[in-house]
Amino acid sequence: MYETTKNQSLVSILGTISMAAMLLSFIGGYIVDQQSKVNLLRAIILIRCLLVVIGLLLLYLFHSNLKTLFLVVIANSLLSIVYTPLSESIAPVLVENKKELFKANSWVSLANQLASVSSSGLSVLFVLWRKPIWALLGLGLSVLISYLTILHVPADAAPIKKHSLSFRETMSDFKHGLLLIVHNRLISLMIPIALISNFCFWSIWLLMPKYSVDIFNQYKIVYNVIDISFTIGGILGAAAFSKYHGRLKTGIFYPALLVGQSIMLILLGVNAWVKPSIINVFFISILWIGYGIFNSISSVLYFSIIQMSASNDTIGLIIGAVLTIFSLANPIAAALSAPISRLYTLPTIIVIFGSIMLFAALVVFSPYFNKELAKYDKK
């Protein structure tokens, strides 16, 4: 979109719309707790099939790539209100022992990353072909394969007591989820750090199209390099953690992961201060692979801790509440990406936000945080 329009405001609007939906994750978490999680996932896949059909109809009727893009992104964002807390809640119903959660979550993360890197590779071809219809048909095929695959997964039992989805009951349960978070000292302590980190990361990430086009315009593959490298890092991190997590001490390892993410972003900004060359492009790839490794492992650790702290009956509610709180900064970052980009140069902005993330991460090294994190090494 940015390469076509050179308009950061359009990128900002699209990002704001997609991220604002995450603020309703607590409603999605409530829905997750009322249904069989496997059956709910099957239903979401079928809805995605319907979205493909709608997208194809829009292209046929209006011949507008931009309108189709906006409408499909909005529809997917609404769907993510349920899908995101569901994807973070499904591992516990697939394992019998909570000690296996770290490994199960690693495999779930690995699967997501493999899907992302595949889609990043395909997107390069779709952009080169300039035929949105092929992208939608590819999406439809992948969704159909996923539906046929999940049919072989035994469905978990739905809760015996189901409640009607009313605003009063939903808000009441959301308050209950917030209380459960407050009573978990580690999760409540991490919320302000996560808000700062999310704001800084999304401010930087939404500037990556501008970063790749304006600074590295002679290298057309830079944005795809960023996207694919980030995903490859996620694959490597999830795979390594699934194998070696039993040897790691969470109290020491988790803070180091947060610092590692910050340093990768700071170096990304520094890299843009020098004259662009193919060496810089290679360095960008290494930095995003590093960020992906640190990010995927820290996410698996954090959501595993949340799952270990909750029962299967309320896990969707708690994760939905956590995602809602963590996402408060995301649409703000998206909305501000355009005006911020006009205040300073891109490298300066990236270094500033990376440094803010670094200072926030240093707090996690305190003895109090280490004591809380170490409790989960014994579970």
Side-chain angles (χ1 to χ4, degrees):
M1 180 184 287
Y2 183 80
E3 187 172 358
T4 301
T5 65
K6 296 296 188 295
N7 190 340
Q8 180 63 27
S9 295
L10 283 178
V11 178
S12 177
I13 291 169
L14 195 63
T16 303
I17 291 170
S18 60
M19 291 176 185
M22 289 299 294
L23 298 177
L24 300 176
S25 292
F26 68 94
I27 296 178
Y30 179 85
I31 295 172
V32 168
D33 285 336
Q34 306 303 310
Q35 308 292 329
S36 161
K37 294 175 177 58
V38 173
N39 284 337
L40 184 59
L41 186 56
R42 290 172 182 166
I44 288 176
I45 295 172
L46 284 177
I47 295 172
R48 281 197 164 142
C49 286
L50 180 61
L51 285 178
V52 173
V53 175
I54 293 173
L56 290 170
L57 286 173
L58 289 172
L59 280 178
Y60 177 75
L61 294 173
F62 300 108
H63 305 287
S64 174
N65 296 344
L66 195 61
K67 289 178 181 177
T68 302
L69 175 64
F70 266 87
L71 290 173
V72 171
V73 168
I74 291 170
N76 268 304
S77 299
L78 293 174
L79 199 59
S80 70
I81 292 172
V82 176
Y83 177 76
T84 304
L86 173 61
S87 64
E88 297 292 352
S89 306
I90 201 164
V93 306
L94 302 177
V95 298
E96 295 181 358
N97 189 338
K98 283 203 171 186
K99 290 182 179 180
E100 295 295 317
L101 276 177
F102 287 114
K103 187 173 183 178
N105 282 318
S106 297
W107 281 105
V108 171
S109 175
L110 181 60
N112 282 327
Q113 299 294 345
L114 285 170
S116 296
V117 76
S118 301
S119 65
S120 296
L122 285 172
S123 70
V124 178
L125 298 177
F126 294 145
V127 171
L128 289 174
W129 290 336
R130 298 184 180 278
K131 300 264 185 200
I133 188 171
W134 290 111
L136 286 171
L137 289 172
L139 173 61
L141 178 62
S142 67
V143 171
L144 179 61
I145 292 172
S146 66
Y147 181 74
L148 294 175
T149 303
I150 201 172
L151 286 177
H152 298 285
V153 178
D156 55 306
I160 297 175
K161 294 182 179 180
K162 291 187 178 182
H163 306 288
S164 59
L165 185 62
S166 70
F167 179 77
R168 178 179 295 180
E169 289 178 349
T170 303
M171 292 306 298
S172 175
D173 282 349
F174 178 53
K175 291 177 183 178
H176 177 62
L178 290 178
L179 288 175
L180 292 174
I181 292 170
V182 171
H183 292 153
N184 187 307
R185 285 184 291 179
L186 179 60
I187 298 175
S188 60
L189 287 169
M190 277 302 301
I191 284 175
I193 296 171
L195 285 171
I196 294 171
S197 297
N198 280 357
F199 176 80
C200 293
F201 170 76
W202 285 109
S203 295
I204 292 171
W205 182 256
L206 287 168
L207 291 171
M208 285 299 99
K210 185 176 177 65
Y211 178 90
S212 58
V213 173
D214 289 358
I215 298 177
F216 295 92
N217 60 317
Q218 68 268 50
Y219 302 104
K220 298 298 184 182
I221 62 169
V222 168
Y223 188 76
N224 293 106
V225 166
I226 291 170
D227 197 17
I228 293 173
S229 297
F230 181 30
T231 310
I232 288 174
I235 293 170
L236 294 175
F241 187 70
S242 67
K243 186 174 182 180
Y244 299 109
H245 69 86
R247 307 178 190 179
L248 303 172
K249 297 297 182 183
T250 306
I252 300 172
F253 193 53
Y254 187 73
L257 293 170
L258 299 182
V259 169
Q261 292 178 68
S262 308
I263 292 175
M264 294 298 104
L265 295 179
I266 292 171
L267 292 176
L268 184 72
V270 172
N271 181 60
W273 271 326
V274 300
K275 186 178 179 180
S277 69
I278 194 65
I279 295 175
N280 296 106
V281 175
F282 176 75
F283 194 46
I284 289 170
S285 177
I286 296 299
L287 291 174
W288 278 110
I289 287 174
Y291 186 93
I293 291 172
F294 296 137
N295 178 260
S296 65
I297 298 175
S298 63
S299 296
V300 170
L301 269 174
Y302 191 75
F303 281 102
S304 295
I305 288 172
I306 294 175
Q307 291 167 358
M308 293 169 72
S309 305
S311 68
N312 284 357
D313 292 336
T314 60
I315 192 168
L317 180 65
I318 293 175
I319 288 180
V322 170
L323 287 171
T324 297
I325 296 171
F326 281 12
S327 301
L328 289 173
N330 298 4
I332 298 173
L336 293 179
S337 71
I340 287 175
S341 67
R342 293 191 286 266
L343 294 176
Y344 303 100
T345 63
L346 282 181
T348 302
I349 293 171
I350 295 169
V351 169
I352 289 173
F353 282 129
S355 300
I356 293 171
M357 279 184 69
L358 178 61
F359 286 120
L362 292 176
V363 178
V364 189
F365 280 95
S366 68
Y368 188 80
F369 267 100
N370 286 332
K371 181 180 177 182
E372 290 297 319
L373 285 166
K375 292 178 182 178
Y376 293 91
D377 291 326
K378 303 172 184 179
K379 292 189 177 184

